[in-house]
Amino acid sequence: MLQRPGSEEYSPFFTGYISQVPEGDYLSFLHSQLDAVIALFSPINDEQGLYRYEPGKWSLKEVLGHMTDTERIMSYRMLRIARGDTTNLPGFDQDLYITNASFDELSIEDLLNDFKAVRQATFSLVKTISEAAWLRKGIANNNEISARALAYVIAGHAQHHLGIIQQKYNH
């Protein structure tokens, strides 16, 4: 079973995300989180998906697209670091990704299917990482991080946005 990373395995920036992941079975949490995302977004129609809780904030569709993009990027980083790649992996500008993605033009169904596909790829990748590989560290956005910490960032980031949706978007 994958263990929670120690604070020496990631930069303080990720503390908030990692703390969102409860103690216990990581994979079970990741599966239950997928169910939560499906339950939250499935009843939303495409017009409701355009809702922003205030001007300048992302729409529900953009939040879901951002969750998917971030999981893709963090999984890619996790793969490279777990496989021993020590290249400094670049950061990314989340706002630029939103601006250039046109998520609002896609259907909620398509965005949800994309999230499900990426999450399935994450499940598949996690199965290929050995106990020793989880502890490997690399550099992402000029900060040292372990493969294990990235796994927790994936889950914690999604949980963070689920919380924001429940707090700010339920109207």
Side-chain angles (χ1 to χ4, degrees):
M1 183 168 68
L2 189 59
Q3 299 295 313
R4 177 176 297 283
S7 60
E8 73 285 354
E9 294 179 50
Y10 54 89
S11 73
F13 175 80
F14 290 118
T15 302
Y17 294 137
I18 291 172
S19 70
Q20 296 269 335
V21 182
E23 295 296 333
D25 184 346
Y26 170 82
L27 278 176
S28 291
F29 178 70
L30 217 56
H31 280 283
S32 68
Q33 190 178 66
L34 174 58
D35 294 340
V37 169
I38 292 167
L40 182 65
F41 282 96
S42 291
I44 297 172
N45 68 38
D46 288 332
E47 184 178 329
Q48 292 167 327
L50 298 174
Y51 175 74
R52 299 165 194 274
Y53 66 89
E54 66 182 51
K57 294 297 182 181
W58 295 343
S59 70
L60 282 165
K61 288 181 174 185
E62 288 171 333
V63 172
L64 181 55
H66 166 72
M67 290 167 60
T68 305
D69 278 355
T70 301
E71 185 155 336
R72 271 192 177 101
I73 291 165
M74 296 300 164
S75 289
Y76 173 72
R77 289 175 175 178
M78 184 171 65
L79 166 69
R80 289 187 63 174
I81 290 169
R83 301 295 193 256
D85 191 339
T86 58
T87 306
N88 186 2
L89 304 172
F92 70 104
D93 180 341
Q94 64 183 14
D95 294 316
L96 188 64
Y97 276 53
I98 293 294
T99 299
N100 291 309
S102 304
F103 291 130
D104 282 345
E105 296 172 16
L106 299 172
S107 70
I108 284 283
E109 181 181 9
D110 286 344
L111 291 165
L112 192 52
N113 284 337
D114 193 34
F115 180 84
K116 290 189 278 189
V118 169
R119 180 55 60 96
Q120 289 302 322
T122 300
F123 290 137
S124 181
L125 174 59
V126 164
K127 292 177 187 175
T128 73
I129 299 175
S130 70
E131 283 189 47
W134 282 120
L135 302 177
R136 288 191 184 118
K137 292 181 182 176
I139 306 293
N141 199 22
N142 299 313
N143 291 294
E144 188 174 60
I145 192 163
S146 70
R148 175 169 67 177
L150 283 161
Y152 272 71
V153 168
I154 288 167
H157 179 264
Q159 199 64 28
H160 164 77
H161 283 289
L162 285 172
I164 290 174
I165 291 166
Q166 291 166 346
Q167 290 173 357
K168 303 270 187 180
Y169 288 83
N170 287 336
H171 59 284

